[in-house]
């Protein structure tokens, strides 16, 4: 299966490590992929209003390109994945949105939500398989106590995202075991970091991040692992000297595969 890879804006600017190490890992795992042609911002935030069509269009263009090329759409950023998955669900289930988007876009063939949206972590778990990934590990992260930080966008709403159990997820802990680390399970691993509230309510975001970091520290986490650039930004900004270090999961995967610089 070939994958159409959607990097998204932040991975080209503030989160280059998330993208760079993902590409190295994909090559090391012999995953066939190509990048979306002239991709645009996904919209960053899923539009809640059903009559808000314009902010869905860039996501639908990437989804339609994947369908036309016979590919699954591969995402990496938690926010991009969230928006793509929910917009795709709209295109598969909401007749009004289907009609308005296709009338506006004028695709040669109407797009009706046929594309499968796959997060990089789902690719590792469901397609490559963690056992297969483990067989490629040359530099296991033995002795590293790391906590998975899911945040909220990968997991919720559960009936649309279908990424993992939104209340008790396990895929990132399974990933950490695969690369040789010891996962630490702490109570705030699937709580929100504050997200874009950092723009107008800095104190609220600070409190949320402090709760996450403290919760992880009490379980002995030396690092937290995320797939979300905004989560990493908020956690880094509100960390103290004794807080766990924040990593992108792709960086640790590349390190374990022996392809990190």
């Amino acid at each position: 299966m070939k994958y159409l890879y959607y990097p998204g804006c932040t991975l080209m600017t503030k989160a280059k490590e998330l993208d760079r190490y993902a590409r190295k890992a994909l090559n090391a795992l012999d995953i066939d992929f190509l990048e979306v042609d002239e991709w645009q911002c996904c919209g960053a935030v899923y539009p809640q209003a059903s009559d808000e069509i314009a902010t869905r269009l860039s996501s639908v263009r990437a989804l339609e390109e994947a369908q036309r090329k016979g590919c699954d759409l591969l995402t990496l950023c938690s926010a991009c994945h969230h928006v793509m998955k929910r917009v795709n669900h709209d295109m598969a289930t909401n007749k009004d949105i289907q009609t308005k988007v296709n009338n506006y876009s004028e695709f040669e063939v109407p797009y009706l939500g046929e594309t499968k949206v796959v997060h990089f972590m789902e690719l590792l778990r469901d397609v490559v398989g963690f056992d297969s990934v483990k067989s490629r590990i040359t530099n296991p992260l033995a002795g590293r106590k790391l906590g998975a930080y899911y945040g909220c966008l990968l997991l919720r709403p559960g009936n649309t995202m279908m990424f993992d159990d939104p209340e008790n997820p396990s895929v990132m802990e399974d990933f950490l075991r695969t690369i040789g680390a010891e996962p630490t399970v702490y109570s705030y691993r699937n709580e929100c970091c504050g997200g874009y509230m950092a723009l107008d309510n800095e104190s609220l975001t600070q409190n949320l991040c402090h709760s996450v970091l403290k919760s992880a520290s009490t379980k002995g986490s030396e690092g937290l692992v995320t797939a979300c650039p905004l989560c990493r930004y908020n956690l880094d900004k509100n960390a103290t000297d004794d807080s766990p270090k924040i990593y992108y999961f792709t960086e640790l995967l590349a390190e374990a595969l022996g392809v990190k610089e």
Side-chain angles (χ1 to χ4, degrees), residues 118-130:
V118 180
H119 188 269
F120 196 110
M121 187 65 74
E122 293 176 308
L123 176 70
L124 297 177
R125 177 189 64 191
D126 302 332
V127 181
V128 181
F130 284 142

Side-chain angles (χ1 to χ4, degrees), residues 125-145:
R125 177 189 64 191
D126 302 332
V127 181
V128 181
F130 284 142
D131 286 342
S132 180
V133 174
K134 188 173 184 178
S135 71
R136 307 282 189 103
I137 298 300
T138 61
N139 182 35
L141 307 187
R144 303 273 292 275
K145 297 186 70 173

